[in-house]
Amino acid sequence: MSERQLMANEVHDSLAQGLTFMRMRMSLLRDAVRHKDDLRAFKYWADVDDALGNSHRRLRELITYFRSQMDPQGSSTRCRRRRRRSSTAPAWRWSS
């Protein structure tokens, strides 16, 4: 499978899960509002708000990763190098 296809799959999988969860929660939120159940409505609203934030954060991470310079030997080689580098680095350097 090409790197381009792998990237598209990763973006799709990440976004599809979040969107599906939000769609289900929005349906429950609509029912709670219709029945004037404020407690449930607030819970479902908070779920959607959290999921939206997580999906947005994950998308930014993916875009940042894919924008970074690609290894000529492919992304799997780059991931192995990054994993090796981070596993040998002191704990205080993990933020890189």
Side-chain angles (χ1 to χ4, degrees):
M1 190 178 298
S2 73
E3 281 193 58
R4 183 180 177 109
Q5 185 63 45
L6 288 172
M7 289 188 307
N9 289 347
E10 183 70 25
V11 170
H12 174 268
D13 292 348
S14 180
L15 291 177
Q17 286 179 354
L19 290 171
T20 299
F21 177 79
M22 285 183 270
R23 179 177 285 284
M24 290 186 310
R25 286 301 194 232
M26 287 301 293
S27 175
L28 294 170
L29 174 59
R30 187 177 355 197
D31 290 344
V33 168
R34 191 175 302 137
H35 292 103
K36 299 184 186 339
D37 187 344
D38 293 341
L39 187 61
R40 279 184 42 225
F42 181 75
K43 186 217 180 308
Y44 297 136
W45 170 81
D47 289 348
V48 171
D49 194 47
D50 288 344
L52 185 58
N54 289 336
S55 293
H56 189 241
R57 188 172 21 267
R58 179 71 175 134
L59 181 59
R60 283 195 320 257
E61 289 171 359
L62 288 170
I63 289 170
T64 299
Y65 175 76
F66 292 138
R67 279 185 178 166
S68 63
Q69 185 174 7
M70 295 300 271
D71 189 303
Q73 295 175 340
S75 60
S76 59
T77 302
R78 182 168 188 255
C79 289
R80 278 195 301 276
R81 286 182 186 155
R82 177 172 226 156
R83 203 173 25 240
R84 232 185 348 253
R85 191 173 49 228
S86 65
S87 67
T88 60
W92 53 269
R93 295 192 64 200
W94 265 80
S95 63
S96 62

